[in-house]
Amino acid sequence: MGRNLQSAVQLRPVDLAREHGLSMQAIRNYEEAGALPAAARTPSGYRCYTSLHAGALRAFLALLPGHGHRTATAIMRAVNEGAAEEAFRLVDESHAQLLDDRRTLRAVENALRDLEPGAATASGPGGTAVAPGGTPVVHAGTFIGPLAERLGIRPATLRAWERAGLVRPRRDPLTGYRVYGEADVRDARLVHQLRRGGYLLEQIAPLITQVRAAGGLEPLEAALGDWRARLSARGRAMLAGAAALEAYLRERERG
């Protein structure tokens, strides 16, 4: 990169740490992980940092909120190893993931709009549901296999959601098969979409409980608003991270 790092003004680990309220151990950890360039050592073994290290630290900390620790570290490691194209690829991947998350949010919102009574009922002739093997069931509903296929998941996933209390299918008294009514299918679709949006089962459970208690989907509006806000915050954080990374790249080039 052309710059002799050791010719610049020397900084101590504490100098870098104080600017950001970090510990000196954190600075050493970041260097060992490759987020900072390797520091020179004094004859007694003490680390000597420079303004370039300070710029690297600012870039790394700016990347963290938008990209997460692992990706931010990988981006900085690539830059410090002279592999800028790899760093740009990692940045692109994060943006692609954010775009995918935005699409998932829209899918959730569309799913809520599309949840209409009776839309998910798989019935046989005359509105009588048909169980696997052709056994008629008195009350209309859908079974675990067709529902899992419709959602693009495994039946085992639906059973896991049932154990977590997120879906509550009844059992047909004649066959013992799980029968998912309209409300059950609604809950399964919402769980599926929220899981795609990054929500944990324990986070989804109270939302489903509220939907059931309220008899509708209104309680999800707050969750969707929070989700939307988090995506916007990530997008803005990525912009800030990109600016800091560009500043660091320019500083390296000036050397």
Side-chain angles (χ1 to χ4, degrees):
M1 67 184 179
R3 166 177 283 193
N4 182 351
L5 295 180
Q6 315 320 322
S7 66
V9 175
Q10 293 185 347
L11 300 171
R12 301 167 299 167
V14 67
D15 297 323
L16 271 66
R18 281 175 178 167
E19 179 182 352
H20 304 283
L22 300 171
S23 67
M24 289 188 291
Q25 184 59 51
I27 301 299
R28 290 190 287 268
N29 291 344
Y30 294 156
E31 180 192 345
E32 291 171 3
L36 306 183
R41 299 280 187 141
T42 67
S44 55
Y46 290 105
R47 289 175 170 83
C48 294
Y49 295 113
T50 68
S51 61
L52 191 68
H53 292 91
L57 180 59
R58 284 190 290 270
F60 173 66
L61 295 178
L63 290 168
L64 280 176
H67 298 271
H69 192 280
R70 178 179 297 182
T71 300
T73 300
I75 291 170
M76 293 301 299
R77 186 189 303 119
V79 170
N80 293 328
E81 292 175 352
E85 288 300 318
E86 173 63 10
F88 300 152
R89 184 190 67 80
L90 292 167
V91 170
D92 290 344
E93 283 189 349
S94 282
H95 282 280
Q97 181 60 58
L98 178 60
L99 179 59
D100 187 62
D101 290 344
R102 290 189 185 280
R103 288 170 175 161
T104 300
L105 173 59
R106 286 197 296 271
V108 172
E109 293 170 333
N110 291 337
L112 298 184
R113 287 194 293 268
D114 293 342
L115 286 177
E116 298 176 355
T121 299
S123 300
T128 300
V130 179
T135 304
V137 180
V138 175
H139 300 291
T142 191
F143 296 96
I144 192 168
L147 179 57
E149 182 178 0
R150 191 175 305 138
L151 295 176
I153 60 177
R154 296 177 302 145
T157 300
L158 280 171
R159 288 191 287 268
W161 293 352
E162 182 180 348
R163 288 192 297 272
L166 301 179
V167 290
R168 300 185 300 190
R170 62 181 177 83
R171 295 281 186 158
D172 179 74
L174 297 178
T175 65
Y177 290 117
R178 291 174 173 85
V179 181
Y180 295 82
E182 293 175 2
D184 303 314
V185 174
R186 175 203 67 194
D187 292 347
R189 291 175 66 185
L190 292 177
V191 172
H192 179 52
Q193 297 288 14
L194 290 169
R195 286 290 289 148
R196 289 184 59 204
Y199 279 75
L200 303 175
L201 294 184
E202 54 265 32
Q203 295 172 311
I204 296 172
L207 297 175
I208 297 298
T209 299
Q210 291 177 43
V211 169
R212 290 172 182 156
L217 301 168
E218 293 81 1
L220 281 177
E221 287 302 320
L224 293 176
D226 174 67
W227 187 356
R228 194 177 301 108
R230 286 188 287 113
L231 292 180
S232 295
R234 274 175 55 195
R236 187 161 186 172
M238 285 182 179
L239 291 177
L245 181 61
E246 170 65 11
Y248 177 56
L249 288 169
R250 288 186 180 277
E251 185 172 4
R252 288 175 62 90
E253 292 168 354
R254 282 198 299 268

